[in-house]
């Protein structure tokens, strides 16, 4: 009797089952379809099996100290430093253990941020005890690098021991240049500046880390997990070389570098990505002749997954992302408030962002187990495959001359663009769902409250080197653009564009496809007018005319379509339907349906965005 059976006596009543038993049952359910139908793929093309056996003898990935909580970081990004200080103190009093000072024009600014002045820093950190175990992180544009000196001066003026402060200075000129697609100087000059600042901070008594390799650059631009990891590795090794070239011992230089990854709502991929980064960095340390030690990994919930529409769903996405990054071993975690894509978040949004972490930490006790994914067959396989894919891409960047040279030569950007295009296609076809934006829209939702603060432009500079930018995106934007058009029509005409749901037969016949069609059209801001079922074409035409809609969509079962769709389509066309759709695949009826007046077919997997854009072209041309 196995130990499992001893622990669970009821298990003795069941015959032992293994992978072969499961596969036999799965093949029976597939009824002749190939087993490969159950396989999935990540954006990097990595296979995802439907089931995995336990990974035997798997070891935990070394991350946070055992049982130690991650740092709960809150963004400090209000353009008014006095207001920013009020927010920061409130956050610290209510559970935050770290603050990210986000300055205007930084990679993570999202249109807002503190002014990069001595006065702003002093005001924002007033009454914040920097030697009391509070983590401070700087996020700034290279043109605002004086904030490093300003913060150091503030600490000196207070008589605070720099070594007692937990500060991550966030120096990352590579990331800023990558996002903007230009640089005012070449890498050799930038490298000397990075090393000089790091040495000066170290000489002043700060323990660091000073320099960050920031994966948000690639993730925000739509890149894959392996691409993000490869970029982080390439950036980190480039900074490591710059520090070593300035006569900083290699062991000390690696302690001056930390990393940041984006955490999104793909739970398993995010978890595996954080684990993979630690393994990859350990491989680099070993290649440098260094004994590996845990890397500091900061996390931020993903910008690209935020939606402006139905923003409350962003809370759910952030919860999954936080859970995944925490279990993946993140040392510090910042949750983007759920309304950030709309404007500067208010106190409620900041509270929710903070409490998302506090609940998982204080009530769910996620920090109590070190690397809980260790031994999970699926997570271990994903981690290993991500390591292999990222290492291959990292080597390609190195062969191109390093990350800065690869960016300048547009080597990295096309690969990210290809991944982004595939992701955009999946969103357009609604294979990847963004609840509230590309699926289950609410045309009558109230706009979320945000603070009254105007966006701030990034500082300008004269570019010496130009290349393709890794510009940040939000994947919901194409659908949101159509919703914005609808809002503009509503404001101008007191009504939205409409589609008449021409439901045929009984509720049992049409409900499923009518529900699908309503969601389909309303994701594009075209309001669906639901109806009772029709069997009489004349009555259908009369109801359509009375609705005031320009478009109509037939909704019913395949059986009802065979009996009524042709006559219904003809009646709708004669009643003035500008565009007649049918919910479902046409099958053998396509020719007769098109002859009767059906022009488009909508179904799961059709290009919803293309069809909705075409509809809007007709609306705007009318």
């Amino acid at each position: 009797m196995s130990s499992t059976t001893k622990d669970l006596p009821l298990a003795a009543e069941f015959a032992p089952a293994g992978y072969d038993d499961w596969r036999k049952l799965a093949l029976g359910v597939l009824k002749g379809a190939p087993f490969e139908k159950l396989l999935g793929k990540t954006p990097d093309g990595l296979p995802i099996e439907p089931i995995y056996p336990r990974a035997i003898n798997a070891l935990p990935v070394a991350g946070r100290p055992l049982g130690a909580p991650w740092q709960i970081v809150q963004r400090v990004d209000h353009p008014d430093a006095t207001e920013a200080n009020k927010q920061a103190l409130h956050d610290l009093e209510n559970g935050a253990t770290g603050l990210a000072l986000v300055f205007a024009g930084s990679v993570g600014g999202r249109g807002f941020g503190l002014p990069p002045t001595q006065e702003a820093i002093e005001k924002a950190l007033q009454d914040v005890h920097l030697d009391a175990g509070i983590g401070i992180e700087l996020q700034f544009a290279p043109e605002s690098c004086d904030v490093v000196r300003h913060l150091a001066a503030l600490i000196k003026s207070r008589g605070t021991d720099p070594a007692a402060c937990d500060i991550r200075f966030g120096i990352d000129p590579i990331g800023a240049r990558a996002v903007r697609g230009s640089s005012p100087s070449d890498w050799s000059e930038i490298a000397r500046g990075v090393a000089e600042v790091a040495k000066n901070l170290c000489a002043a008594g700060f323990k660091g880390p000073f320099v960050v390799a920031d994966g948000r650059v690639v993730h925000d631009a739509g890149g894959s997990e392996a691409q993000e990891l490869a970029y982080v590795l390439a950036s980190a090794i480039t900074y490591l070389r710059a520090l070593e070239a300035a006569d900083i011992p290699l062991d000390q230089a690696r302690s001056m570098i930390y990393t940041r990854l984006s955490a999104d709502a793909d739970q398993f991929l995010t978890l595996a990505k954080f684990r993979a980064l630690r393994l990859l960095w350990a491989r680099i340390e070993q290649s440098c002749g260094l004994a590996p030690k845990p890397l500091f990994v900061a996390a931020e919930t993903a910008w690209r997954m935020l939606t402006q529409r139905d923003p409350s769903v962003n809370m759910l996405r952030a919860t999954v992302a936080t859970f995944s990054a925490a279990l993946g071993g993140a040392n510090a975690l910042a949750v983007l408030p759920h309304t950030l894509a709309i404007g500067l978040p208010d106190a409620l949004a900041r509270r929710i962002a903070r409490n998302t972490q506090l609940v998982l930490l204080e009530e769910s006790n996620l920090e109590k187990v070190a690397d809980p994914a260790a031994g999970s067959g699926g997570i271990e396989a994903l981690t290993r495959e991500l390591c292999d894919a990222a290492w291959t891409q990292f080597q390609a960047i190195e062969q191109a001359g390093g990350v800065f040279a690869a960016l300048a030569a547009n080597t990295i950007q096309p690969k990210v663009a290809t991944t982004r295009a595939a992701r955009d296609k999946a969103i357009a076809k609604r294979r990847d769902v963004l609840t509230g934006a590309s699926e289950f829209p609410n045309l009558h939702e109230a706009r979320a409250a945000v603070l009254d603060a105007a966006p701030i432009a990034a500082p300008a500079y004269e570019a010496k080197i130009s290349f393709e930018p890794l510009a940040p995106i939000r994947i919901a934007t194409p659908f949101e653009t159509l919703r914005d058009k609808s809002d503009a029509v509503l404001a101008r005409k007191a009504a939205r564009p409409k589609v008449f749901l021409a439901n045929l037969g009984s509720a049992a016949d049409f409900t499923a496809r009518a529900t699908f069609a309503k969601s389909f059209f309303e994701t594009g801001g075209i309001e669906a007018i639901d109806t009772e079922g029709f069997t009489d074409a004349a009555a259908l035409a009369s109801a359509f005319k009375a609705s005031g809609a320009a478009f109509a969509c037939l909704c019913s079962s395949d059986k009802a379509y065979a009996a009524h769709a042709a006559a219904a389509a003809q009646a709708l066309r004669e009643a003035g339907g500008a565009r007649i759709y049918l919910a479902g695949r046409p099958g053998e009826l396509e020719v007769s349906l098109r002859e009767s007046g059906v022009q488009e077919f909508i179904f799961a997997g059709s290009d919803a965005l293309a069809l909705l854009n075409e509809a809007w072209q007709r609306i705007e041309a009318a």
Side-chain angles (χ1 to χ4, degrees):
M1 183 178 290
S2 69
S3 60
T4 301
T5 305
K6 291 178 181 178
D7 296 337
L8 301 171
L10 291 177
E13 299 180 14
F14 299 91
Y19 177 82
D20 291 338
D21 300 297
W22 172 86
R23 184 170 178 125
K24 183 178 179 180
L25 289 172
L27 290 173
V29 173
L30 286 170
K31 298 179 179 179
F35 181 77
E36 287 70 26
K37 186 176 181 180
L38 299 179
L39 302 181
K41 284 191 176 182
T42 74
D44 288 298
L46 307 179
I48 300 177
E49 300 281 346
I51 192 170
Y52 290 85
R54 179 180 177 182
I56 306 300
N57 300 323
L59 298 176
V61 176
R64 290 191 308 268
L66 298 180
W70 65 88
Q71 199 173 83
I72 299 174
V73 178
Q74 280 283 81
R75 290 166 58 89
V76 180
D77 57 354
H78 199 298
D80 184 325
T82 300
E83 292 299 317
N85 176 250
K86 292 178 183 178
Q87 291 178 338
L89 293 176
H90 183 77
D91 291 331
L92 293 173
E93 290 167 358
N94 288 276
T97 54
L99 299 173
L101 302 188
V102 181
F103 294 89
S106 65
V107 169
R110 315 305 177 192
F112 302 101
L114 289 164
T117 64
Q118 178 80 50
E119 180 185 15
I121 291 175
E122 290 177 357
K123 284 185 178 179
L125 293 177
Q126 185 177 341
D127 297 326
V128 176
H129 301 287
L130 300 176
D131 56 351
I134 299 167
I136 300 293
E137 179 178 279
L138 301 184
Q139 297 184 26
F140 58 92
E143 303 76 47
S144 306
C145 62
D146 282 348
V147 298
V148 172
R149 179 170 52 81
H150 295 331
L151 180 58
L154 174 63
I155 291 170
K156 183 178 180 181
S157 69
R158 290 184 178 182
T160 303
D161 179 8
C165 300
D166 179 9
I167 300 177
R168 299 185 295 279
F169 284 88
I171 300 168
D172 183 26
I174 296 174
R177 305 312 184 207
V179 170
R180 296 195 198 178
S182 62
S183 175
S185 54
D186 59 26
W187 172 243
S188 59
E189 183 178 341
I190 295 172
R192 287 193 297 270
V194 170
E196 181 182 357
V197 174
K199 290 176 78 172
N200 290 342
L201 289 170
C202 192
F206 292 97
K207 60 186 180 183
F210 309 121
V211 182
V212 61
D214 192 348
R216 292 180 303 176
V217 171
V218 168
H219 195 275
D220 287 353
S224 69
E225 286 72 24
Q227 289 166 348
E228 183 181 358
L229 289 169
Y231 172 85
V232 168
L233 289 180
S235 296
I237 201 70
T238 298
Y239 288 134
L240 188 65
R241 290 185 180 121
L243 296 172
E244 185 186 24
D247 298 323
I248 299 174
L250 203 54
D251 186 34
Q252 182 183 5
R254 68 165 166 174
S255 298
M256 294 180 172
I257 299 170
Y258 70 105
T259 59
R260 184 185 292 111
L261 293 176
S262 289
D264 65 26
D266 191 320
Q267 177 180 330
F268 297 133
L269 269 179
T270 296
L271 204 166
K273 179 174 69 176
F274 277 78
R275 300 176 82 243
L277 177 57
R278 294 191 180 281
L279 297 176
L280 289 164
W281 184 247
R283 183 173 179 179
I284 286 178
E285 290 175 308
Q286 291 170 336
S287 299
C288 294
L290 300 170
K293 66 178 185 179
L295 173 70
F296 191 100
V297 182
E300 183 177 274
T301 56
W303 167 252
R304 76 185 187 199
M305 72 179 180
L306 292 185
T307 62
Q308 293 178 338
R309 301 294 176 159
D310 205 356
S312 296
V313 184
N314 291 329
M315 301 179 204
L316 304 180
R317 299 183 184 103
T319 300
V320 175
T322 301
F323 177 87
S324 306
L327 295 191
N331 297 89
L333 212 161
V335 173
L336 298 183
H338 68 283
T339 58
L340 184 58
I342 301 171
L344 190 64
D346 64 3
L348 176 61
R350 294 178 65 86
R351 176 188 178 192
I352 292 169
R354 184 176 65 245
N355 286 351
T356 297
Q357 298 195 59
L358 284 169
V359 169
L360 291 174
L361 187 63
E362 301 293 345
E363 297 186 21
S364 300
N365 297 303
L366 295 190
E367 86 284 9
K368 300 299 184 185
V369 180
D371 192 18
S376 164
I379 301 300
E380 292 288 359
L382 265 180
T383 302
R384 182 175 61 254
E385 289 159 0
L386 276 176
C387 282
D388 292 343
W391 190 260
T392 298
Q393 295 188 43
F394 162 66
Q395 288 178 313
I397 294 173
E398 287 291 281
Q399 289 170 1
V403 68
F404 194 87
L407 287 167
N410 291 316
T411 299
I412 297 173
Q413 297 91 321
K415 296 176 182 177
V416 173
T418 298
T419 302
R420 182 175 65 245
R423 195 184 308 278
D424 289 345
K425 185 176 181 180
I427 291 291
K429 293 190 173 185
R430 305 201 303 174
R431 290 198 297 264
D432 292 348
V433 172
L434 284 169
T435 300
S438 68
E439 190 73 272
F440 308 117
N442 177 9
L443 291 186
H444 308 290
E445 66 177 293
R447 187 171 177 84
V450 293
L451 298 180
D452 185 14
I456 300 173
Y461 59 80
E462 184 177 348
K464 179 180 178 181
I465 303 169
S466 297
F467 43 85
E468 289 294 322
L470 287 170
I473 62 163
R474 287 186 306 102
I475 53 183
T477 297
F479 283 97
E480 291 172 350
T481 299
L482 299 181
R483 295 281 295 277
D484 290 343
K485 289 183 178 183
S486 178
D487 287 350
V489 171
L490 176 64
R492 193 168 65 250
K493 298 183 177 181
R496 298 183 188 276
K498 294 180 174 63
V499 60
F500 177 85
L501 301 186
N503 298 328
L504 305 179
S506 67
D509 291 322
F510 64 74
T511 297
R513 280 176 170 158
T515 301
F516 170 84
K518 177 179 173 65
S519 177
F520 183 98
F521 285 103
E522 293 193 348
T523 58
I526 301 173
E527 186 175 0
I529 301 174
D530 208 350
T531 63
E532 299 295 330
F534 294 91
T535 55
D536 179 71
L540 173 64
S542 177
F544 171 68
K545 282 184 178 181
S547 73
F551 305 143
C553 181
L554 295 166
C555 304
S556 197
S557 64
D558 291 345
K559 183 178 179 180
Y561 284 154
H564 305 293
Q570 185 172 348
L572 290 168
R573 182 176 62 180
E574 292 172 354
R579 198 74 174 164
I580 300 172
Y581 301 83
L582 183 141
R585 296 179 182 272
E588 297 177 353
L589 298 175
E590 182 170 4
V591 173
S592 63
L593 288 172
R594 287 193 181 278
E595 289 176 348
S596 300
V598 176
Q599 292 142 314
E600 295 289 354
F601 300 89
I602 63 171
F603 48 85
S606 60
D607 193 330
L609 193 59
L611 288 167
L612 290 168
N613 274 313
E614 191 272 341
W616 268 101
Q617 290 174 7
R618 293 177 179 276
I619 292 169
E620 292 168 335

